[in-house]
C-alpha cells in the first residue's frame, strides 16, 4: 500500500475544503478548489484577537513625543468573503464595484485642487496595489459612500464590508507606520486623511455624533503628525502638496459680513472670559458639573483664527474643502478641550459646523455631520451650561439659522454680556423643533 504523503493542515480553509478533506489554498473566496468545482466558497474564520484590533496606534515624532491613533471601530463577525456570501455575490465582484465607485465618484471628495484629481483617481490606486492598507482604505470609504447612497434598506452589506475593509487596513497601517520612508510617506498620509472620513461615515451605536467627532479629531492629530514628520518627503512625492500649500493665503476680507461679525463675536467672548489668563494651556481652570473649564485666551484665539482662515479659503474657492482641515489648524490642545466638552470650545466647533454645511455636496462625509453636530452641541450647552447658553443665545442662534434649523419663536433669545440670571428666560425655551 502506498504511504500517504504528509502535508500541513489548512486551519483557515473554506467550509467546502474542510468538508471535502482537501487542502485549501486560503486565498479566496473563492479558493482554487471551489473555482475548479464551481462551488460557492464561504470562509468561517475565527474572530481576530481583540487585543490587536483595539490597540491604539502610536505615532512618535523625532523628539520622542507620542500621538495616539485610535482606529478601533465596531466590526461585524467574519471576513469580507463570508459577509458578501451571506448577502449574495462573491467578494471579488464587490471589490470591482467598489474600485469603480472610487475611480468615478468617491475620489472627488478628497480633491482640494484640480491637480489632486490625477493623483487620487489614477496614481493612488496603483500605489494601493503595492500597499494593502491603502487598497483596503479605498475599498472601505467607497463601500461606506455606497451605503449612504442606496438607503437604509440595502445599506447593511456595504456598511459591514466597509467596516471589515477599514479594520483590515488599520491593522496593516499600524504595522507599516514605523517603516515610513520617502517612497511610502504619501501613501501613509493619504490613508490617515481618508481614515478620518471613514470614521465620520461609520454608523455609531451610541447615537452621539460628538463622540464620533472626538475620535475623528484624534485621527486628525495623527494625520497632522505624519504630515509634519514626513513633510520633506511629502513635498517631493507624487502627491501635489507643494502646489496646495503655494495657493494658500486667502484674505479675511473675502469673508461675508454676516460671518465676519459672527467670528468677531467669538473673539469678543474670548476677550471677555479669558483676557487675564496666562498663555499656558495648563492654566488653572474652574470646576463646573465635573467639567474643567480651561481659561486660556491665546489657545482660543488661535482656534478662532484658524476658523477665520477656513471661512476665508472657502469664500475664495481655490482650495476646495479647506475647512475640513480646521481641527489640524486649531491643534491638539483645542481638540482636547472638545473631548472634555469645554463649553466655549464646543461653541467654536458649532460655528465650524455651519461652515461644513456649505461645502460641495461631493464632500459628503463632512457635510452630512454638520446639522447633527450643531444640534447636539446646542443640546449639551442648554442642559449642562444653561447660564452660558442664555449668554450665548445670539451666536448659537446664528449657527442654527445658517443650518436652517428652526427655533421656537414664542420666546426671544437675547445675548447678555452680563449675568444671565436676571434675564428671566427658562432653559426650556431652547427646545429645538
Amino acid at each position: 500500500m502506498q504511504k500517504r504523503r504528509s502535508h500541513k493542515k489548512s486551519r483557515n480553509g473554506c467550509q467546502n475544503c474542510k468538508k471535502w478533506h482537501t487542502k485549501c489554498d486560503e486565498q479566496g473566496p473563492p479558493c482554487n478548489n471551489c473555482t475548479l468545482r464551481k462551488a460557492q466558497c464561504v470562509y468561517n474564520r475565527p474572530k481576530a484577537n481583540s487585543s490587536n484590533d483595539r490597540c491604539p496606534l502610536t505615532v512618535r515624532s523625532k523628539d520622542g513625543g507620542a500621538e495616539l491613533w485610535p482606529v478601533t471601530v465596531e466590526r461585524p463577525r467574519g471576513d469580507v468573503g463570508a459577509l458578501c456570501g451571506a448577502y449574495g455575490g462573491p467578494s471579488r465582484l464587490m471589490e470591482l464595484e467598489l474600485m469603480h465607485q472610487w475611480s468615478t465618484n468617491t475620489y472627488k471628495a478628497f480633491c482640494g485642487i484640480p491637480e489632486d484629481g490625477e493623483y487620487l483617481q489614477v496614481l493612488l490606486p496603483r500605489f494601493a496595489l503595492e500597499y494593502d492598507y491603502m487598497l483596503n482604505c479605498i475599498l472601505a470609504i467607497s463601500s461606506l459612500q455606497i451605503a449612504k447612497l442606496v438607503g437604509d434598506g440595502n445599506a447593511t452589506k456595504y456598511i459591514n464590508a466597509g467596516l471589515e475593509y477599514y479594520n483590515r487596513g488599520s491593522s496593516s497601517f499600524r504595522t507599516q507606520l514605523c517603516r515610513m520612508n520617502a517612497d511610502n510617506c504619501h501613501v501613509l498620509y493619504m490613508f490617515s486623511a481618508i481614515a478620518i472620513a471613514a470614521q465620520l461615515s461609520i454608523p455609531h451605536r451610541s447615537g452621539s455624533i460628538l463622540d464620533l467627532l472626538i475620535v475623528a479629531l484624534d485621527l486628525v492629530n495623527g494625520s497632522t503628525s505624519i504630515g509634519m514628520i514626513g513633510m520633506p518627503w511629502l513635498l517631493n512625492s507624487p502627491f501635489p502638496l507643494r502646489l496646495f500649500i503655494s495657493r494658500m493665503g486667502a484674505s479675511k476680507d473675502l469673508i461675508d459680513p454676516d460671518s465676519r461679525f459672527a467670528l468677531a463675536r467669538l473673539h469678543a467672548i474670548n476677550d471677555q472670559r479669558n483676557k487675564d489668563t496666562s498663555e499656558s494651556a495648563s492654566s488653572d481652570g474652574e470646576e463646573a458639573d465635573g467639567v474643567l473649564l480651561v481659561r486660556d485666551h491665546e489657545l482660543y484665539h488661535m482656534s478662532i483664527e484658524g476658523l477665520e482662515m477656513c471661512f476665508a479659503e472657502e469664500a475664495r474657492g481655490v482650495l476646495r474643502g479647506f475647512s475640513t482641515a480646521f481641527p489640524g489648524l486649531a491643534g491638539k490642545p483645542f481638540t482636547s478641550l472638545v473631548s472634555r466638552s469645554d463649553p466655549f470650545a464646543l461653541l467654536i466647533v458649532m460655528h465650524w459646523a455651519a461652515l461644513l454645511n456649505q461645502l460641495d455636496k461631493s464632500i459628503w462625509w463632512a457635510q452630512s455631520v454638520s446639522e447633527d453636530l450643531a444640534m447636539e452641541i446646542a443640546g449639551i450647552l442648554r442642559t449642562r451650561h444653561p447660564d452660558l447658553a442664555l449668554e450665548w443665545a445670539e451666536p448659537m442662534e446664528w449657527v442654527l439659522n445658517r443650518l436652517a434649523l428652526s427655533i421656537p419663536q414664542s420666546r426671544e433669545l437675547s445675548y447678555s454680556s452680563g449675568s444671565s440670571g436676571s434675564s428671566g428666560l427658562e432653559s426650556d425655551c431652547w427646545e429645538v423643533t
Side-chain angles (χ1 to χ4, degrees):
M1 178 182 294
Q2 186 178 2
K3 186 177 180 179
R4 183 178 181 183
R5 292 183 299 172
S6 63
H7 62 277
K8 295 181 180 180
K9 293 183 178 180
S10 172
R11 301 187 182 277
N12 297 312
C14 72
Q15 295 178 0
N16 286 333
C17 287
K18 290 181 179 180
K19 181 176 66 175
W20 298 329
H21 300 288
T22 58
K23 180 175 174 57
C24 182
D25 60 13
E26 302 180 11
Q27 299 301 308
C31 68
N32 188 53
N33 292 330
C34 289
T35 300
L36 293 174
R37 303 189 187 195
K38 297 182 179 180
Q40 183 179 5
C41 185
V42 177
Y43 283 79
N44 187 23
R45 289 169 179 153
K47 190 176 182 180
N49 191 332
S50 59
S51 62
N52 293 332
D53 291 338
R54 299 186 179 274
C55 177
L57 171 66
T58 301
V59 183
R60 295 199 176 272
S61 59
K62 294 180 181 178
D63 60 1
E67 300 279 354
L68 290 182
W69 185 280
V71 292
T72 301
V73 296
E74 298 176 9
R75 63 194 298 176
R77 294 184 177 181
D79 64 3
V80 174
L83 291 169
C84 295
Y87 291 100
S91 64
R92 291 180 181 176
L93 287 180
M94 169 174 269
E95 290 173 354
L96 181 62
E97 177 189 10
L98 298 180
M99 287 304 298
H100 178 266
Q101 178 70 17
W102 169 266
S103 62
T104 59
N105 194 315
T106 309
Y107 82 94
K108 298 176 183 178
F110 305 96
C111 289
I113 56 177
E115 290 81 359
D116 286 340
E118 181 181 1
Y119 172 78
L120 291 169
Q121 186 181 23
V122 180
L123 297 181
L124 189 61
R126 290 179 180 174
F127 284 110
L129 298 178
E130 301 178 34
Y131 303 101
D132 64 314
Y133 56 88
M134 192 67 247
L135 179 60
N136 282 305
C137 185
I138 288 175
L139 297 175
I141 192 65
S142 300
S143 189
L144 292 170
Q145 185 189 26
I146 293 177
K148 285 188 175 293
L149 294 174
V150 298
D152 296 338
N154 300 308
T156 304
K157 175 176 71 171
Y158 294 102
I159 292 174
N160 288 346
L163 292 174
E164 179 64 26
Y165 285 125
Y166 180 74
N167 282 283
R168 279 187 184 182
S170 297
S171 178
S172 177
F173 172 78
R174 291 195 297 269
T175 302
Q176 295 298 320
L177 189 58
C178 60
R179 304 171 187 172
M180 186 167 65
N181 55 47
D183 294 327
N184 66 8
C185 181
H186 68 100
V187 183
L188 290 167
Y189 179 75
M190 286 309 305
F191 177 95
S192 67
I194 297 174
I196 298 167
Q199 180 66 35
L200 289 175
S201 306
I202 293 171
H204 204 247
R205 289 185 179 178
S206 71
S208 171
I209 190 65
L210 185 59
D211 289 345
L212 203 64
L213 176 67
I214 289 170
V215 176
L217 293 180
D218 286 335
L219 295 178
V220 170
N221 290 327
S223 180
T224 302
S225 297
I226 294 174
M228 296 303 295
I229 296 171
M231 182 60 69
W233 292 330
L234 285 174
L235 292 176
N236 295 286
S237 71
F239 177 49
L241 179 61
R242 188 184 297 273
L243 285 174
F244 186 92
I245 295 176
S246 68
R247 295 172 190 175
M248 292 173 57
S251 171
K252 294 180 182 178
D253 294 336
L254 297 173
I255 304 175
D256 66 275
D258 188 38
S259 298
R260 199 181 310 166
F261 178 80
L263 293 168
R265 185 166 47 200
L266 289 178
H267 278 299
I269 295 174
N270 185 33
D271 291 340
Q272 177 188 346
R273 291 173 53 82
N274 307 307
K275 188 174 183 179
D276 298 329
T277 60
S278 66
E279 296 184 359
S280 173
S282 60
S283 59
D284 294 335
E286 61 184 62
E287 195 79 18
D289 298 329
V291 178
L292 183 64
L293 304 180
V294 179
R295 296 184 177 276
D296 189 324
H297 183 273
E298 185 65 20
L299 172 59
Y300 292 120
H301 180 76
M302 292 176 59
S303 301
I304 299 169
E305 283 196 329
L307 188 58
E308 287 176 327
M309 183 185 299
C310 292
F311 270 87
E313 292 292 356
E314 292 296 346
R316 186 173 63 148
V318 174
L319 303 178
R320 181 172 164 274
F322 184 87
S323 58
T324 59
F326 166 69
L329 297 173
K332 186 176 181 180
F334 178 79
T335 60
S336 297
L337 295 179
V338 176
S339 67
R340 296 202 298 269
S341 296
D342 174 77
F344 189 43
L346 292 180
L347 182 65
I348 295 173
V349 171
M350 197 174 176
H351 283 67
W352 177 49
L355 183 58
L356 291 179
N357 193 59
Q358 301 174 19
L359 292 177
D360 189 303
K361 290 184 178 180
S362 63
I363 311 178
W364 53 274
W365 58 271
Q367 189 189 50
S368 62
V369 303
S370 58
E371 292 186 6
D372 291 340
L373 179 60
M375 290 282 286
E376 185 171 335
I377 291 176
I380 290 174
L381 293 177
R382 289 198 316 271
T383 56
R384 299 183 189 177
H385 309 281
D387 291 342
L388 290 176
L390 292 173
E391 181 182 342
W392 297 339
E394 284 191 1
M396 293 174 66
E397 183 178 6
W398 181 86
V399 172
L400 296 177
N401 286 338
R402 274 292 182 106
L403 296 170
L405 301 174
S406 61
I407 303 174
Q409 300 298 319
S410 57
R411 301 181 183 180
E412 292 185 2
L413 305 177
S414 60
Y415 174 78
S416 171
S417 60
S419 173
S420 60
S422 61
S423 65
L425 296 180
E426 299 176 1
S427 61
D428 60 2
C429 69
W430 276 91
E431 197 65 36
V432 179
T433 58

